[in-house]
Amino acid sequence: MNPLKSDDYPAIYSAYVETITGDVTELLEEQILTFPEFLKHIPPGKSEYAYAEGKWTIKEVVGHVIDTERVMAYRALRFARNDTKELIGFEPEDFVANARFNERSLESFAEEFVVVRKSNLLLFKYLNDHELSRKGIASERLISVRAFMYIIAGHLNHHRNIIRERYLGE
């Protein structure tokens, strides 16, 4: 696979992309194991904790990670299939507010994450370099299909770090 170039994605995603140091496909596969394991080690009673007023709970953060992966994979699919229609943005706050994530167990999120990620890996696995290089407009920004792989992996890294630092005090 060709490497990600700086013009493949808008600067708004730099914080996510910069968390990727090796092969993005290997990281996406590794996260299938490491993220559910991470969720298993969240102390009982902590999953509904929010570190400040107006912040999401750990369950809401995890649900947001999964929802965002779905949205980014959908965008990648559209552009990979050469759909040139501009895709509008989505509002994560609204998604979380309407999802009832706190009614679920962390185990259910782990199961859902694995299924979503495996599906997305199969999507990316069968795209060639030409398809991965295709670009489209999403949220008023030009972005490549390849960049979505980095954003998905980096977004998870970002939020796992936030959970560690702000929620678990690690």
Side-chain angles (χ1 to χ4, degrees), residues 116-128:
V116 168
R117 177 58 61 87
K118 284 183 177 181
S119 173
N120 292 334
L121 276 168
L122 285 171
L123 167 67
F124 291 125
K125 177 180 180 178
Y126 294 105
L127 297 177
N128 63 30

Side-chain angles (χ1 to χ4, degrees), residues 9 13 15 17 27 36 43 49 51 55 63-64 74 78 87 158 161 165-166:
Y9 62 96
Y13 295 115
V17 171
L27 177 59
Y49 166 75
Y51 68 88
K55 296 296 182 182
H64 161 73
Y74 170 74
R78 293 275 304 265
L87 302 178
H158 169 78
N161 289 338
E165 294 166 10
R166 299 182 188 167

Side-chain angles (χ1 to χ4, degrees), residues 4 8-9 132-136 142-148:
L4 188 67
D8 278 335
Y9 62 96
L132 288 166
S133 297
R134 285 185 177 143
K135 294 181 182 179
L142 185 65
I143 189 165
S144 75
V145 173
R146 179 178 286 106
F148 287 116

Side-chain angles (χ1 to χ4, degrees), residues 63-81:
H64 161 73
V65 166
I66 296 169
D67 277 357
T68 300
E69 179 158 342
R70 280 191 169 108
V71 170
M72 296 299 164
Y74 170 74
R75 291 173 174 182
L77 173 66
R78 293 275 304 265
F79 298 154
R81 300 299 189 246

